[in-house]
């Protein structure tokens, strides 16, 4: 399994709106084409200097599917965040591969 993890720093003035928009718009659009699934939105604990930090995780069955999703959907959603929140939201994305544990 491949996980797309995006961590966002969100200005405190828009954190509630950010959570609502993620639930109502971003996550439904992110999963609409079936290339990613199991969306998760999490608040990072202990990171609140002038705002809040959130992580969004999406699962893909392969790196190829995740790269296709990024081209077809992810880039447009990134631009939608910029258009809606401007400099009040900043984020970075990492792709991670799950390694099965043997314990």
């Amino acid at each position: 399994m491949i996980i797309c993890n995006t961590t966002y720093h969100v200005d405190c003035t828009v954190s509630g709106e950010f959570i609502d928009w993620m639930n109502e718009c971003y996550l439904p659009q992110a999963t609409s084409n079936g290339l990613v699934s199991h969306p998760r939105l999490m608040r990072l604990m202990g990171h609140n200097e002038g705002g809040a930090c959130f992580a969004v995780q999406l699962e893909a069955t392969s790196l190829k599917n995740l790269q296709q999703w990024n081209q077809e959907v992810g880039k447009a959603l990134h631009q939608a965040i910029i258009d809606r929140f401007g400099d009040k939201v900043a984020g970075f994305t990492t792709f991670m591969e799950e390694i099965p544990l043997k314990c």
Side-chain angles (χ1 to χ4, degrees):
M1 172 185 7
I2 308 297
I3 297 171
C4 176
N5 182 89
T6 304
T7 302
Y8 295 98
H9 182 269
V10 179
D11 188 278
C12 61
T13 62
V14 298
S15 62
E17 179 184 353
F18 177 81
I19 291 169
D20 291 344
W21 187 78
M22 280 288 171
N23 279 304
E24 295 166 10
C25 299
Y26 184 99
L27 295 173
Q29 289 178 37
T31 56
S32 66
N33 71 354
L35 290 170
V36 297
S37 61
H38 301 95
R40 290 182 291 278
L41 175 62
M42 295 164 279
R43 182 187 314 268
L44 279 66
M45 306 300 287
H47 297 275
N48 56 1
E49 300 108 22
C53 288
F54 299 94
V56 172
Q57 292 187 344
L58 303 165
E59 295 179 11
T61 57
S62 69
L63 182 57
K64 180 181 176 183
N65 283 358
L66 189 51
Q67 290 169 331
Q68 182 181 347
W69 174 86
N70 193 47
Q71 290 296 315
E72 295 177 4
V73 181
K75 288 184 179 186
L77 287 174
H78 175 73
Q79 186 60 50
I81 290 172
I82 293 169
D83 294 346
R84 180 162 185 117
F85 297 103
D87 63 355
K88 295 186 182 283
V89 174
F92 66 93
T93 300
T94 53
F95 293 173
M96 303 178 289
E97 179 181 19
E98 182 178 31
I99 299 172
L101 299 176
K102 295 180 181 180
C103 54

